[in-house]
Amino acid sequence: MAKGVKARVKVPKTVDAGEIVTLKTLISHKMESGLRKDKDGNKIPQSIINRFTCAFNGNTVIDVKMAAAISTNPYFAFDAVVPEAGEFHFTWYDDDGSIYEEKKSVKIA
Amino acid sequence: MELTRRDTMAIGGAAALTAILPSLSSAAIPVNELIMGVTGGVDAASKGISLTAPEIAENGNTVPISIDAPGAVAITVMAAGNPRPAVATFNFGGGSASQSATTRIRLAGTQDVVAVAEMADGSFATAHQTVKVTIGGCGG
């Protein structure tokens, strides 16, 4: 597992039913591209997060397949519709098999 | 050696040439070929998708881009001049409110960023934009 991975998501706590919300996510990860070389000229092996998903009550909002060209600390902003109270479930999949999860519940105002 | 104006010009010219040459010899994959790779040979329309990227990116390590393609089921983003052109593929599910997303990408140098959207009816739309990069984002 990559060190110091911390996921942050920005989700409103309460919304109106059917409201469209913009979600912002950031996860700290160095996203080693596999193209860099260390001091001795050896290639540093690739170590990235290769997939990010977001679902609301099991209903997929977005599913992103990522390559090494995504920047360090991958950031995503996207829109979701909130039909009822429930929970957003964010998941990041690391190259090394680790899975990072974050959950945010949303109430209807 | 005394540096005359003529000498300075010659040196400057040579430096400019060597600066341009590597980017030419690195042979960026033609944008069309990238698009065809995603669509499987089907021609893509140039309407129905927008790609927002800065004209000039000072740092190629984090270039903010936005894509928006109403009615798309998936959007693939590629960087034609990167050592590996694949950037990301966004798949939109039933919970998404708009087929748009914002992220930050790495660009190795000045190049075209390409977005290809696959619409719900199976057609494709594409957009591309040239981004000038001052500092490359792929190490080395």
Side-chain angles (χ1 to χ4, degrees):
Chain A
M1 178 170 163
K3 273 179 279 176
V5 174
K6 185 169 182 270
R8 272 173 287 174
V9 295
K10 198 169 181 188
V11 178
K13 285 197 175 71
T14 59
V15 298
D16 295 326
E19 193 183 323
I20 291 165
V21 292
T22 300
L23 309 177
K24 292 178 181 173
T25 72
L26 185 84
I27 185 163
S28 50
H29 193 284
K30 60 184 183 330
M31 294 290 281
E32 193 58 63
S33 69
L35 295 168
R36 296 202 309 155
K37 288 176 180 165
D38 64 14
K39 265 184 260 167
D40 308 322
N42 304 315
K43 277 205 167 170
I44 304 170
Q46 174 173 318
S47 166
I48 63 167
I49 292 174
N50 54 47
R51 187 171 168 225
F52 163 68
T53 65
C54 169
F56 182 72
N57 289 350
N59 189 9
T60 305
V61 175
I62 199 168
D63 184 338
V64 188
K65 203 175 126 241
M66 297 151 72
I70 296 288
S71 295
T72 307
N73 303 340
Y75 163 84
F76 290 104
F78 49 93
D79 295 334
V81 62
V82 184
E84 74 255 334
E87 196 174 51
F88 278 108
H89 193 159
F90 304 88
T91 320
W92 291 263
Y93 299 84
D94 198 310
D95 263 354
D96 63 10
S98 319
I99 292 172
Y100 317 110
E101 287 177 288
E102 188 75 34
K103 287 174 184 171
K104 289 276 176 188
S105 55
V106 176
K107 289 194 188 90
I108 298 296
Chain B
M1 184 184 121
E2 199 180 336
L3 221 56
T4 62
R5 181 173 176 271
R6 184 166 297 187
D7 284 340
T8 321
M9 294 290 280
I11 293 165
L17 255 184
T18 46
I20 294 165
L21 278 177
S23 63
L24 287 178
S25 59
S26 69
I29 302 163
V31 170
N32 261 346
E33 228 166 85
L34 282 179
I35 297 169
M36 290 303 159
V38 177
T39 63
V42 181
D43 277 333
S46 54
K47 276 184 189 168
I49 178 168
S50 69
L51 167 71
T52 313
E55 243 169 69
I56 297 175
E58 284 191 0
N59 184 353
N61 268 318
T62 51
V63 182
I65 61 154
S66 294
I67 44 166
D68 186 10
V73 288
I75 302 176
T76 303
V77 180
M78 289 163 296
N82 271 5
R84 281 174 293 176
V87 174
T89 304
F90 298 83
N91 296 293
F92 298 99
S96 63
S98 67
Q99 283 67 48
S100 63
T102 302
T103 189
R104 295 174 189 150
I105 67 171
R106 286 178 179 143
L107 297 176
T110 300
Q111 57 178 287
D112 280 331
V113 177
V114 188
V116 181
E118 187 185 349
M119 297 300 177
D121 61 5
S123 65
F124 293 93
T126 179
H128 59 92
Q129 198 191 324
T130 306
V131 180
K132 267 191 165 179
V133 176
T134 324
I135 307 167
C138 282

